[in-house]
Amino acid sequence: ETDFWQVNFHNDNVSWSTINKEINDIPWHILFNEKNTETCINILLSCLLMLCIKLIPRKKPRSKSKIPRERKKLLNRMKMLKREKHRTYSKIKEKMLEKKIHETESMLIHHRKEERRTKEKKVIENMKNNQKVLFDYINKQKDRDAKIGPFKIQNEYIYD
C-alpha cells in the first residue's frame, strides 16, 4: 500500500504544471456534492494520492550502509587480497598480490576523489538557490578528522 511518504516530491523530474492541470481538471463540485466533511477529505486525499502515484516517481529504498557500493566492493577486494597474501607461501605470488593491493588502493583513492569532486559540484550548483547547502558542506569539512597514514616503510605499515 502506498502513501505520500513513499513518493519523492523533491525529484527534478516532477512536472508540477502537469499535476496542477490534472488537479484543476477534476470535477470537485460533483465529487463533493451533498457529502459531509470527513468524506470530502477522504475523497480529496485519495484523488491526490492517485495523481501523485501516477505522476511523481517513488523514493528509492535507502541502503543500510552509507558507503557507496563501488567503494564497498573495493574494500572487500582489498580484504580478500590481504587475506590471500597472508596465506600464501610463494614469494612470486606474494609480490603479485602486493601489486594488486596497491592497484586497489589507488582505485579507492581515485573513487574518494571523484566523490569529493561531485559533492563540491553539487554544492556549487545549489549554492545560489540554497545557501544552507554550502554552510552544511563547510561545517562537515571543519569537523572531520585530520588523520594521515598509514605509511608503508620497508613492507611494514605505520599507523601512528
Side-chain angles (χ1 to χ4, degrees), residues 16-28 31 44 47-49 51-52 54-56:
W16 291 106
S17 58
T18 309
I19 293 171
N20 286 333
K21 184 177 175 252
E22 290 282 332
I23 290 173
N24 289 332
D25 290 345
I26 295 174
W28 296 110
L31 289 173
L44 173 70
C47 289
L48 290 177
L49 182 62
L51 277 173
C52 289
K54 186 171 81 172
L55 299 172
I56 299 174

Side-chain angles (χ1 to χ4, degrees), residues 71-145:
R71 190 180 314 158
K72 190 92 168 164
K73 284 181 182 179
L74 289 172
L75 289 170
N76 286 338
R77 181 173 188 241
M78 181 88 78
K79 198 185 305 181
M80 184 244 348
L81 288 171
K82 285 182 179 179
R83 188 182 312 130
E84 194 174 335
K85 179 186 168 202
H86 182 71
R87 290 181 185 165
T88 187
Y89 294 108
S90 169
K91 294 288 183 184
I92 298 168
K93 191 170 183 180
E94 190 174 322
K95 287 192 186 264
M96 182 185 71
L97 289 170
E98 187 70 34
K99 184 180 176 185
K100 286 183 180 180
I101 290 171
H102 183 68
E103 289 171 1
T104 309
E105 285 175 344
S106 63
M107 287 168 36
L108 263 170
I109 291 169
H110 176 72
H111 185 267
R112 286 187 176 120
K113 283 182 182 178
E114 280 298 314
E115 185 180 20
R116 195 176 311 121
R117 236 181 254 128
T118 56
K119 279 184 182 178
E120 288 174 359
K121 282 182 183 178
K122 281 184 180 179
V123 168
I124 290 169
E125 289 172 1
N126 296 328
M127 192 168 50
K128 289 185 180 178
N129 299 335
N130 187 2
Q131 288 87 18
K132 186 181 177 194
V133 174
L134 173 68
F135 293 117
D136 286 345
Y137 181 76
I138 291 170
N139 286 332
K140 283 180 186 175
Q141 295 299 316
K142 183 175 62 175
D143 293 338
R144 71 178 182 187
D145 290 338

